[in-house]
Amino acid sequence: MTFFVPSHNRPRPHVTSNVAAMTTSASVPAEPEDAIGAEHSITDRLVEANGKYAAAFADPGMDARPVQRVAVVACMDARLDLHAALGLRLGDCHTIRNAGGVVTDDVIRSLTISQRALGTRSVALIHHTGCGLESLTEEFRHDLEMEVGQRPAWAVEAFRDVDQDVRQSMQRVRTSPFLVHTDDVRGFVFDVTTGLLREIDPA
């Protein structure tokens, strides 16, 4: 999969992909000492950072239609910088992220709007190595029910074989009756140790 941006003002290299991870509570790293102060929450810091961003902000004049006409579905893992990893810039794509990067009904909802209302045609599905969903089971829902007294309506979508789960995600996209463009649907596994994408054969 090759991404180009012919309509941006400055030249840029293209990225050819022949080529993020969810963590469980047991593996969450300790916070840096200065991460969150007693009187200064991380959300406060985000708001302050936005003020600095807005002070130098200039309207890029874009509309909501992605320049590259591609939607990327990926894991919400904090280690994956999708734009940097794929050579994308602001306005190039739609990014749809959830735990595991799995294709759920809500992902189909977003893809349907992306294609039918906002003109995207291609779909790239990105799982990754070391995903936290590989260490979970549907017992997670049972544990929640025992804790809060109500079983979640959603499935955990845990998996053991990341390649097979990418294939399942591709199949869910390709067979959805709501999507109008299913001829360019490709799946990948992102290696969190090398930064490379490995393409998955749908067969």
Side-chain angles (χ1 to χ4, degrees):
M1 176 169 63
T2 304
F3 295 109
F4 294 95
V5 186
S7 62
H8 284 306
N9 293 329
R10 69 172 185 268
R12 58 182 286 187
H14 70 268
V15 175
T16 302
S17 297
N18 188 7
V19 225
M22 181 177 145
T23 57
T24 59
S25 59
S27 61
V28 174
E31 296 174 357
E33 291 182 4
D34 63 345
I36 302 176
E39 299 179 0
H40 196 68
S41 74
I42 184 60
T43 305
D44 290 331
R45 294 189 181 190
L46 297 179
V47 173
E48 289 177 9
N50 174 255
K52 296 176 183 178
Y53 172 78
F57 184 79
D59 183 356
M62 301 175 181
D63 66 18
R65 293 174 174 265
V67 171
Q68 301 275 18
R69 303 179 76 183
V70 63
V72 180
V73 179
C75 185
M76 67 185 186
D77 189 275
R79 294 173 291 179
L80 179 54
D81 183 345
L82 281 178
H83 279 68
L86 301 175
L88 295 168
R89 290 170 55 192
L90 181 68
D92 279 352
C93 70
H94 282 154
T95 54
I96 304 163
R97 302 183 72 160
N98 63 24
V102 296
V103 175
T104 61
D105 286 345
D106 193 61
V107 168
I108 292 295
R109 178 187 71 90
S110 294
L111 287 174
T112 301
I113 294 169
S114 177
Q115 290 191 357
R116 291 180 176 269
L118 295 166
T120 61
R121 298 185 62 91
S122 300
V123 180
L125 305 169
I126 302 177
H127 284 29
H128 62 85
T129 58
C131 184
L133 282 188
E134 294 177 272
S135 63
L136 294 178
T137 69
E138 290 300 321
E139 283 296 307
F140 185 79
R141 296 172 70 238
H142 174 73
D143 293 342
L144 283 175
E145 181 181 11
M146 293 299 98
E147 178 182 334
V148 305
Q150 180 177 336
R151 181 176 289 248
W154 38 263
V156 176
E157 296 281 357
F159 53 85
R160 290 289 176 266
D161 184 329
V162 65
D163 289 22
Q164 181 56 31
D165 204 68
V166 172
R167 292 188 187 98
Q168 175 174 274
S169 291
M170 284 190 279
Q171 183 67 7
R172 286 179 177 177
V173 172
R174 287 174 171 163
T175 59
S176 172
F178 306 110
L179 301 177
V180 291
H181 302 295
T182 57
D183 56 321
D184 187 15
V185 179
R186 296 168 66 179
F188 304 87
V189 174
F190 178 86
D191 189 319
V192 298
T193 63
T194 67
L196 287 173
L197 290 177
R198 175 172 55 84
E199 185 155 12
I200 301 303
D201 186 335

